[in-house]
Amino acid sequence: MTVLTDRATDPAVLSDLRDVRLGQAYFSRKLNELRNAELLEPSGLEGWSRAHVIAHVGYNARGLNRLVDWAETGVVTPMYSSPDVRATEISFGATLAPRALRHLSDHAAVALDVSWRDLPVERWSFVVRTAQGREVPVAETVWMRSREVWLHAIDLGNGGRFEDVPAPVARRLLGDVLATWAVRDSLAFVLEDTETGQEFAATVLSAAPTERIRGPLPRLLAWATGRSSAGITTAAGAPAPPAPRWL
Ligand code: ZN
């Protein structure tokens, strides 16, 4: 990736930029390890081939790039013009020839990185609206992209592992999932990392019973994001039930 010098100066933003570049490199490496014929095979996501995942990740970079453009110019530029357009784009992208699909993935990722690199320091707090309608400072796009590249590299299903996700990224992602369950579904969970003893929980404004789930951090993340229940137990040591839906 052609990183020269970031114009951002906020240490939190710079740290997020490091994580997302690691994640992008990880995703690109897993993609490069796949032969063309393997792109049409199923991914780890139900109903999606690897080509769907790759197209989605490529178009996600373009969508996030539109938000960075918005922050830079002040001209409202939504991530996608509608949910339908987003879905159609992914179905179309999945039919692209392997070379075109790989090009989309690489080119969109580099373009997004260049936009971040060149975004003037005073524009990073500019508020944009995500595809889900959330209003966030554009700096949040870096974390949004991190989530995508780390998780979908694993979804490619050719050896990507939750164990490879940096612990700070894994912990923050767990926090996101728990917050979604708490706010949207009033579900209370305490997730316990059995290697460090660290606990993760989100505040739930109801008397919902709290369920305790235990396992090593990478396994907790695999479970919470709906990918796998391997290595996860309840407080009583029973196999954990499937996690509630996240996204
Ligand atoms: Zn995604």
Side-chain angles (χ1 to χ4, degrees):
M1 197 139 294
T2 55
V3 176
L4 297 172
T5 309
D6 288 305
R7 297 175 75 182
T9 53
D10 180 340
V13 170
L14 292 173
S15 160
D16 285 354
L17 283 167
R18 275 192 295 277
D19 287 339
V20 80
R21 285 169 183 149
L22 275 177
Q24 181 64 56
Y26 187 75
F27 180 88
S28 299
R29 190 166 88 235
K30 298 322 288 178
L31 169 52
N32 288 337
E33 286 168 8
L34 288 165
R35 286 172 295 137
N36 286 346
E38 294 173 318
L39 301 185
L40 293 176
E41 293 172 356
S43 73
L45 293 177
E46 196 167 340
W48 271 17
S49 66
R50 287 173 172 141
H52 282 97
V53 173
I54 297 158
H56 163 59
V57 171
Y59 290 126
N60 168 266
R62 289 197 182 163
L64 291 172
N65 209 345
R66 285 190 277 273
L67 298 185
V68 182
D69 282 347
W70 178 356
E72 187 171 1
T73 62
V75 178
V76 178
T77 320
M79 206 171 158
Y80 304 104
S81 39
S82 75
D84 276 354
V85 166
R86 176 178 176 274
T88 309
E89 195 172 54
I90 295 169
S91 321
F92 162 77
T95 66
L96 287 173
R99 239 169 83 98
L101 197 56
R102 293 177 193 276
H103 179 79
L104 164 68
S105 179
D106 293 345
H107 190 267
V110 169
L112 175 58
D113 199 63
V114 167
S115 294
W116 281 328
R117 189 193 67 197
D118 293 343
L119 188 66
V121 64
E122 72 277 7
R123 305 302 284 180
W124 280 89
S125 53
F126 189 93
V127 173
V128 295
R129 204 164 42 249
T130 70
Q132 288 76 38
R134 282 193 309 135
E135 304 225 314
V136 298
V138 74
E140 181 84 7
T141 58
V142 183
W143 171 241
M144 290 164 68
R145 180 67 179 167
S146 245
R147 295 180 0 171
E148 291 294 311
V149 287
W150 283 110
L151 287 179
H152 292 317
I154 296 165
D155 292 330
L156 287 176
N158 64 325
R161 305 174 327 137
F162 280 90
E163 282 69 11
D164 292 339
V165 178
V169 172
R171 289 194 285 262
R172 187 161 164 197
L173 242 165
L174 273 188
D176 282 4
V177 176
L178 285 164
T180 300
W181 290 341
V183 172
R184 183 191 66 196
D185 307 328
S186 299
L187 289 175
F189 282 90
V190 173
L191 307 186
E192 183 188 336
D193 178 350
T194 46
E195 315 242 280
T196 64
Q198 188 177 5
E199 293 186 349
F200 303 86
T203 309
V204 177
L205 299 173
S206 77
T210 300
E211 190 153 5
R212 180 175 285 267
I213 300 288
R214 308 179 73 239
L217 178 63
R219 296 291 99 217
L220 288 174
L221 184 60
W223 176 81
T225 56
R227 265 65 174 184
S228 164
S229 296
I232 292 296
T233 63
T234 64
R245 184 176 68 82
W246 171 35
L247 291 176

